[in-house]
Amino acid sequence: MSAEFVIRGRALVDGAFLDAEVHVIDGTIAAIGRPVAGGPASDRGAATSTRTVVELAADEVLIPGLVDTHVHVNEPGRTEWEGFASATRAAAAGGVTTLIDMPLNSIPPTTTPENLAVKRAAASGAARVDVGFWGGAVPENLGRLRELHDAGVFGFKCFLAPSGVDEFGHLDAAQLDAALHELAAFDGQLLVHAEDPGVLHAHENGGGPGYADFVASRPPEAELVAIRHVIDGVRRTGTRAHILHLSSAAALPELRAARAEGLPITVETCPHYLAFSTATIPDAATQYKCAPPIRDEANRDALWRALLDGDIDLIVTDHSPSTAELKFAGDGDFGRAWGGIAGLQLGLSAVWTAAAERGIPLELVLGWMSEGPARFARLPGRGVIAPGARADLAVFAPDERRTVHAAELLHKNPVSAFDGAELRGTVRRTWLAGHPVDLASDAAPAGTLLTRP
């Protein structure tokens, strides 16, 4: 495709779908025009001498490339779980054009500038979409977070309870406070896996195949208590904080009050919390295991209301895959199986399916999955279709239905909580900075490794 082309059809512009001609020049959206029947584009300053025109089908819409700020790629060190080549191919197939990689479960974790360099070297030449990196805040690197910030990470993730991997320790209450104070000095941001270890310890059980027993071991109180600690710390320091993968609606009133107070706290949730509930998860089905867990239907309803009310800012996948051996360890024992859901390729379809059942328009879903995450990560010019924005785009067929077969997904291991689900909506093609992403060949990937703007 030439460096200059037009995509003609229904496009999401300024939060609404309209008939448009999107002019792309050298990887940037040059202008957006309105088609004129029988003639050239009538536009806001676009040239009409474009050499290539892409006509969308009647059942397709043009959407901004999604921005997924919560992805575990796991390379290097656990590349048998996932890697940059497989993860970014799956991302592009799902309409994701920018992702930010979490600092675990790779070995080494992204907790020093040296380890970041190792991570970037592993990703170099392998990414089919643009990739940025979060750093980690762990007990060992407190007091030296500025070094990693200056090396270009987008912010810092921490756990308040054990992470599940030995090389990425969690912060206790004093260390959380220290991290927030340290980050305040340079406007850093702390991303928090918010579960309280004391509450988790008090609810430990023997595991087993019962899903209800697993949920009981990680009750809503664990999230609520941990989030209270974060709110108190932000109130003392003014540091930007982000609540990762909110699963429990019990914390929403206190988060709402904190944000109304003006505290710089943002909140995300994930497709699996919006698509599933305890009623749909059979015993021994460890493909659904994640932490915090998927909760009941009333809780799911409350998360959807929070999105509509603006109390949750964005939806990202928390793509956290593993091998089938680990995911099904213990033959259905939730206490032994790896906790994490692989959803990078399916995030948009999963959320749109659940949203459509509730009468929620696609425009809102895309805002939560494209513009919202881009704003959160401070990535201007991404997640929108607008003059001057990057031409990161996808063609989506919102009414096409398909049954998911895990073995056909492009991430590395054929394991998915969405296996067998009938989902609505399919991504048919993706452009990265105006260039079509080729998923079928081994052509040199064109993704860029990002540093914090």
Side-chain angles (χ1 to χ4, degrees):
M1 184 171 290
S2 65
E4 181 180 352
F5 64 100
V6 163
I7 305 171
R8 181 180 293 154
R10 299 281 291 172
L12 183 69
V13 180
D14 294 332
F17 282 105
L18 52 84
D19 292 327
E21 292 185 341
V22 178
H23 293 246
V24 176
I25 300 177
D26 293 333
T28 299
I29 297 172
I32 299 172
R34 298 299 299 270
V36 175
S42 169
D43 59 70
R44 296 176 286 197
T48 59
S49 59
T50 303
R51 290 167 287 177
T52 305
V53 176
V54 177
E55 296 275 3
L56 299 187
D59 66 337
E60 295 176 339
V61 293
L62 185 69
I63 65 173
L66 305 186
V67 178
D68 193 338
T69 56
H70 195 153
V71 179
H72 294 267
V73 177
N74 304 330
E75 185 177 7
R78 291 191 174 97
T79 311
E80 70 274 16
W81 296 13
E82 190 70 281
F84 285 101
S86 55
T88 58
R89 191 190 296 257
V96 175
T97 51
T98 304
L99 66 84
I100 306 185
D101 175 60
M102 282 293 169
L104 75 164
N105 301 303
S106 58
I107 302 174
T110 314
T111 53
T112 67
E114 294 77 15
N115 291 358
L116 173 62
V118 171
K119 177 71 72 78
R120 291 178 64 88
S124 180
R128 291 178 186 266
V129 302
D130 289 355
V131 176
F133 304 93
W134 298 113
V138 295
E140 294 80 10
N141 70 354
L142 295 182
R144 302 193 308 276
L145 298 178
R146 181 63 183 259
E147 300 171 9
L148 197 48
H149 174 84
D150 290 345
V153 298
F154 281 73
F156 297 85
K157 178 179 183 177
C158 73
F159 279 73
L160 302 187
S163 70
V165 292
D166 293 339
E167 66 276 1
F168 199 94
H170 68 283
L171 304 183
D172 62 24
Q175 291 164 338
L176 169 65
D177 202 56
L180 287 168
H181 277 285
E182 184 177 354
L183 294 175
F186 52 86
D187 191 32
Q189 182 171 36
L190 191 66
L191 285 63
V192 186
H193 180 124
E195 289 184 287
D196 182 78
V199 175
L200 294 179
H201 179 70
H203 290 81
E204 284 179 342
N205 58 39
Y211 185 70
D213 293 332
F214 170 63
V215 175
S217 74
R218 307 189 90 100
E221 183 188 0
E223 290 185 78
L224 178 58
V225 171
I227 287 170
R228 284 172 177 163
H229 289 316
V230 176
I231 292 171
D232 289 344
V234 171
R235 187 177 287 117
R236 287 192 299 272
T237 63
T239 306
R240 291 183 293 133
H242 180 72
I243 304 301
L244 296 164
H245 45 50
L246 182 73
S247 102
S248 172
L252 285 166
E254 295 192 33
L255 284 167
R256 186 182 306 115
R259 287 151 62 100
E261 184 183 331
L263 299 184
I265 298 174
T266 49
V267 185
E268 71 181 39
T269 194
C270 304
H272 39 279
Y273 301 130
L274 300 168
F276 303 125
S277 72
T278 53
T280 64
I281 300 176
D283 289 346
T286 53
Q287 64 268 34
Y288 293 95
K289 180 181 177 180
C290 57
I294 297 163
R295 305 191 188 276
D296 62 30
E297 184 68 25
N299 183 83
R300 179 170 67 159
D301 290 343
L303 294 178
W304 276 109
R305 286 195 301 272
L307 282 161
L308 292 169
D309 291 343
D311 295 324
I312 297 176
D313 302 279
L314 52 138
I315 304 171
V316 287
T317 62
D318 188 12
H319 177 71
S320 186
S322 71
T323 62
E325 180 182 12
L326 287 171
K327 193 62 184 159
F328 298 116
D331 294 325
D333 185 339
F334 280 94
R336 295 178 57 190
W338 172 258
I341 289 180
L344 184 57
Q345 185 174 341
L346 300 172
L348 175 57
S349 295
V351 175
W352 167 230
T353 300
E357 292 172 353
R358 295 166 179 269
I360 296 172
L362 180 59
E363 295 94 318
L364 291 181
V365 169
L366 293 168
W368 294 322
M369 301 188 76
S370 55
E371 187 173 6
R375 186 186 309 114
F376 159 65
R378 296 185 172 182
L379 286 170
R382 296 175 191 253
V384 294
I385 299 176
R390 279 173 53 94
D392 294 342
L393 303 164
V395 174
F396 188 58
D399 295 324
E400 181 176 320
R401 295 183 181 271
R402 55 174 171 157
T403 300
V404 176
H405 300 287
E408 298 174 359
L409 299 176
L410 297 180
H411 58 73
K412 183 162 288 187
N413 289 283
V415 180
S416 174
F418 296 97
D419 190 29
E422 182 179 284
L423 297 183
R424 180 175 178 175
T426 300
V427 174
R428 291 182 177 167
R429 62 192 304 182
T430 303
W431 289 272
L432 182 69
H435 296 280
V437 181
D438 185 352
L439 301 177
S441 76
D442 293 325
T448 298
L449 304 188
L450 306 174
T451 57
R452 176 182 40 78

